[in-house]
Amino acid sequence: MTRPPVRTAPTGAVYFSLLGPLTARLDGHELPLGPRKQRLVLATLLSRPNTPVPVEVLTDAVWPDDPPRTARKNLQVYVSAARTLLGPAAGHEGRDRVVHGCGGYLLRIAEGELDTLRFGSLARAGRAAAGRGDLAGAARLLREALDLWEGPPLNDLRDSAGVAEEAGRLEARCLTVYEDWAETEIELGRPAVAVDGLRDLVERHPLRERLRAAWMNSLHQSGRQAEALAVYDDYRQLMARELGLEPSPAMAALYRSMLGRGREARRPAPAREAVGPAAPPACTAAFTGRPGELRELLEVLGCGEERVVVVSGPAGAGKSALALRAAHLLADRFPDGRVRVRVRREDGTARSRAEILAELGRLCGVAGNAAPPGNTAFPEGGAGGDRAATAALADAWQEWQARHRALVVLDDVPDEASVRGLLSRSGKCSVLITARGQLAGLAPVHRIALPALADAEALELLGKLIGAGRLRADPGAALRIVRACGGLPLAVEVSGMRLAVLRHLPLAEYADRLDDPSAALDELVAGDVSVRHRIASGWRDLADGDRWVLGRLAGLAEAGGFTLDRATEALGCGERAAIRAVESLIDAGAVTSPAGEVTAHAALYEVPRLLGLYAHEREGV
């Protein structure tokens, strides 16, 4: 990649680069960044700009195998040296660039001082221009972003596993932007400008299908049809040899469209015509909290670099509300629409793949557009057992996703098998999945696990339902209520709805009812909304063995969590069996574990309070 001639940092400001070797420049002169361990610390902080980085993460980056006893003191030395080298934060004389707080070390940095921040800003602007139909503007902005990419990110520090993981993520972002740019140039009728760069990238990333499809298209539109067909044939053989798979239906359809056809004249593409699928349901007015998770969702899906995101959490954690909130806020990022399909029926049973495909087809308006001759792409009665018809539905859905930029919300997914054939294999569609379990069998995906609401968030939700004045009248009792709900959004919401009707009921008296383990679930009912009913649905999802284990561990939940040693004792088994049993419940979303990396013996595991009460009821522990 060629170095851009002009940097965006103002005179006297430091400009950092991660999209290549780690560098820092001041007024065009490269700064010495010190010994390797100090550079690893700086690279880790820069990879998470303006975000606290835990000391444990920095320690793992510098000493992945055996950190010395003086690791924390050594980190302080490296950070102190970085402060001296980099000076104060831009625009904030007297304020250190690197500060330490309860969450770890934070590096203050502006967009114009870091190439990855500038890269992301240009990429977002380019995609927004493409969404408006301004393809020439999109191509210019995306190319400007790519000019910041100087080679494999952080290629001088990749022997550190933590830095290598971040470098891989950065490279994936760059590849996605390159694909966006190449496809835009092809749409503009300028395929030749992308051919050579695509060839080089395909050689380095041979299994990246979208890159290869863009290369095929650029060759074909440049009049090099035989070469384009050869690219597909090489890919088909590689897929069979390395993975035992065939190319995706979208890739195969592209190949078929090129067979027996010469180069077609290309005109500059008109503004994109939205297909206008149905919008997702409205967000709940009581949506509260989750600022970090919502921000992460908007950033990940908005930049277009992650195709699949899984939001997981126990029943009633607010997964659907968060997904719908994000879908509405992302309207401008997905010009071809946002749709939401529930993967379970109201009784909790999983819908068939054909049913889901049929609904997706109706919502997206593609019926009859993509089916083979003689078939209806998405018939109303899509739940039949005809395998050939279901395969045709799946192929039509994949082809639709390959041609559009839409956000698909697959809500309340019971397991990986329910959605594996629905995820986009190529193109610009993104899929947001909500599930109680972690869906560990899906990869690669971006994962967001929803913890319990913090006290302040839960109180805000309760106040929206019962009124801020009533909340302020007895804040202590209000805090007892949300804590008795275990921070579960559904339980807090049901408490608020119940108290909104029972206006005579003092908050303290209702808190006493919820504090009673034998009565809490009976109190969490408002009309036809029952917390016990929702938790029972999650309980039925568990395997018989997991239910037995959860019943045994539920007795430990009221004590504020349990360690592996206590789980081993409660289950009456060996350590390895206890680890497997606890981790199975973590995967199912029934047990929570620490967010940071700790050993199995040091971890404190928790069963959500209300799930523990239900398990205690069912298992008689």
Side-chain angles (χ1 to χ4, degrees):
M1 306 291 170
T2 58
R3 188 184 302 278
V6 179
R7 295 296 188 181
T8 55
T11 301
V14 180
Y15 185 86
F16 301 92
S17 295
L18 300 184
L19 299 178
L22 173 65
T23 60
R25 298 181 182 87
L26 178 62
D27 295 336
H29 301 289
E30 192 162 323
L31 296 176
L33 298 180
R36 178 178 175 279
K37 288 185 172 64
Q38 183 171 307
R39 288 160 54 226
L40 285 170
V41 170
L42 184 57
T44 305
L45 292 171
L46 284 166
S47 69
R48 306 183 186 194
N50 304 308
T51 302
V53 180
V55 171
E56 293 78 10
V57 172
L58 292 169
T59 302
D60 288 343
V62 179
W63 300 282
D65 297 322
D66 189 19
R69 287 179 296 175
T70 59
R72 284 181 178 266
K73 184 175 294 185
N74 292 349
L75 284 177
Q76 292 171 359
V77 172
Y78 297 140
V79 169
S80 178
R83 287 193 184 108
T84 302
L85 174 69
L86 304 177
H92 299 282
E93 296 300 325
R95 293 182 63 191
D96 287 333
R97 276 194 180 275
V98 185
V99 296
H100 184 262
C102 60
Y105 288 98
L106 179 147
L107 175 60
R108 295 190 178 111
I109 192 161
E111 179 187 306
E113 298 178 309
L114 179 61
D115 59 354
T116 55
L117 291 178
R118 180 64 178 155
F119 181 91
S121 177
L122 288 167
R124 287 190 294 273
R127 289 169 179 140
R132 297 191 301 269
D134 179 11
L135 297 182
R140 176 180 54 79
L141 290 164
L142 294 172
R143 183 67 256 177
E144 189 176 344
L146 291 172
D147 285 341
L148 299 173
W149 184 18
E150 301 176 3
L154 296 168
N155 56 13
D156 54 333
L157 298 172
R158 289 199 178 200
D159 52 338
S160 166
V163 173
E165 182 179 350
E166 176 61 26
R169 189 181 70 83
L170 290 175
E171 187 157 19
R173 290 176 60 189
C174 292
L175 289 170
T176 301
V177 172
Y178 201 99
E179 291 161 344
D180 288 341
W181 170 76
E183 290 169 358
T184 303
E185 292 288 2
I186 292 168
E187 282 194 72
L188 284 167
R190 305 188 302 221
V193 302
V195 169
D196 291 338
L198 286 167
R199 179 189 59 212
D200 294 342
L201 290 175
V202 168
E203 288 177 357
R204 285 161 45 195
H205 305 276
L207 291 174
R208 193 170 174 103
E209 186 171 286
R210 190 178 168 208
L211 266 181
R212 195 173 285 262
W215 188 25
M216 284 176 61
N217 240 331
S218 63
L219 287 168
H220 180 69
Q221 298 301 335
S222 299
R224 298 158 66 176
Q225 185 186 24
E227 292 176 71
L229 298 177
V231 168
Y232 177 83
D233 193 53
D234 289 344
Y235 180 59
R236 181 181 57 77
Q237 294 181 45
L238 179 66
M239 288 282 287
R241 183 172 64 250
E242 298 291 332
L243 303 176
L245 298 173
E246 289 290 326
S248 73
M251 190 73 163
L254 176 62
Y255 173 71
R256 289 194 300 270
S257 72
M258 295 178 180
L259 284 173
R261 295 166 56 188
R263 177 168 62 97
E264 297 175 351
R266 298 283 295 184
R267 304 185 190 88
R272 181 191 302 269
E273 182 179 350
V275 296
C283 306
T284 172
F287 180 84
T288 302
R290 306 293 190 204
E293 291 84 359
L294 180 59
R295 184 168 56 251
E296 184 178 357
L297 258 183
L298 296 178
E299 180 179 321
V300 170
L301 290 171
C303 71
E305 291 150 13
E306 297 284 353
R307 297 299 178 212
V308 182
V309 179
V310 174
V311 176
S312 61
K319 303 178 294 295
S320 299
L322 176 65
L324 291 176
R325 181 74 166 181
H328 281 278
L329 293 174
L330 287 166
D332 62 331
R333 309 302 304 151
F334 294 96
D336 291 334
R338 299 144 295 133
V339 296
R340 177 241 196 175
V341 171
R342 288 185 56 85
V343 182
R344 294 181 201 254
R345 302 183 183 90
E346 289 299 324
D347 62 3
T349 58
R351 300 172 68 190
S352 73
R353 188 170 171 226
E355 282 182 280
I356 299 167
L357 285 165
E359 184 172 352
L360 285 167
R362 290 193 297 273
L363 290 172
C364 295
V366 296
N369 292 340
N375 288 293
T376 301
F378 292 99
E380 292 290 327
D386 187 341
R387 292 186 179 180
T390 300
L393 297 178
D395 287 348
W397 172 238
Q398 288 295 333
E399 291 185 17
W400 188 89
Q401 289 184 96
R403 297 193 305 271
H404 298 90
R405 189 193 294 272
L407 174 63
V408 181
V409 179
L410 299 177
D411 197 15
D412 201 10
V413 171
D415 52 38
E416 296 92 337
S418 300
V419 296
R420 190 169 274 126
L422 305 177
L423 308 183
S424 176
R425 301 191 188 101
S426 63
K428 300 177 181 179
C429 281
S430 292
V431 180
L432 174 54
I433 293 172
T434 71
R436 296 166 190 168
Q438 304 270 1
L439 303 185
L442 292 182
V445 300
H446 185 94
R447 300 183 184 281
I448 299 176
L450 296 190
L453 288 176
D455 287 344
E457 294 174 331
L459 287 170
E460 181 184 355
L461 175 57
L462 183 64
K464 283 186 175 183
L465 296 163
I466 67 173
R470 193 175 178 190
L471 194 73
R472 287 194 298 267
D474 195 347
L479 183 60
R480 287 174 56 206
I481 289 171
V482 299
R483 287 181 174 173
C485 291
L488 189 72
L490 176 66
V492 175
E493 192 168 356
V494 168
S495 295
M497 292 189 293
R498 186 169 173 81
L499 287 166
V501 173
L502 302 176
R503 301 191 59 81
H504 67 283
L505 181 63
L507 298 189
E509 181 179 334
Y510 188 64
D512 290 340
R513 297 182 189 179
L514 293 182
D515 281 339
D516 181 358
S518 65
L521 290 173
D522 293 328
E523 291 295 330
L524 291 171
V525 180
D528 62 350
V529 182
S530 166
V531 172
R532 176 185 272 110
H533 181 269
R534 188 74 63 85
I535 291 176
S537 177
W539 175 265
R540 289 193 297 270
D541 280 352
L542 298 175
D544 291 343
D546 285 343
R547 286 199 288 265
W548 181 86
V549 171
L550 185 59
R552 301 294 298 175
L553 298 178
L556 308 177
E558 290 292 322
F562 61 90
T563 62
L564 180 61
D565 290 339
R566 295 195 67 196
T568 302
E569 181 181 352
L571 298 176
C573 63
E575 180 181 296
R576 288 182 179 273
I579 290 175
R580 287 194 295 270
V582 170
E583 289 180 351
S584 178
L585 289 174
I586 292 173
D587 187 37
V591 166
T592 61
S593 57
E597 291 186 7
V598 295
T599 64
H601 280 281
L604 184 66
Y605 305 97
E606 295 185 12
V607 176
R609 178 177 187 256
L610 299 178
L611 177 57
L613 294 180
Y614 185 84
H616 191 90
E617 282 184 3
R618 292 300 303 262
E619 296 299 303
V621 177

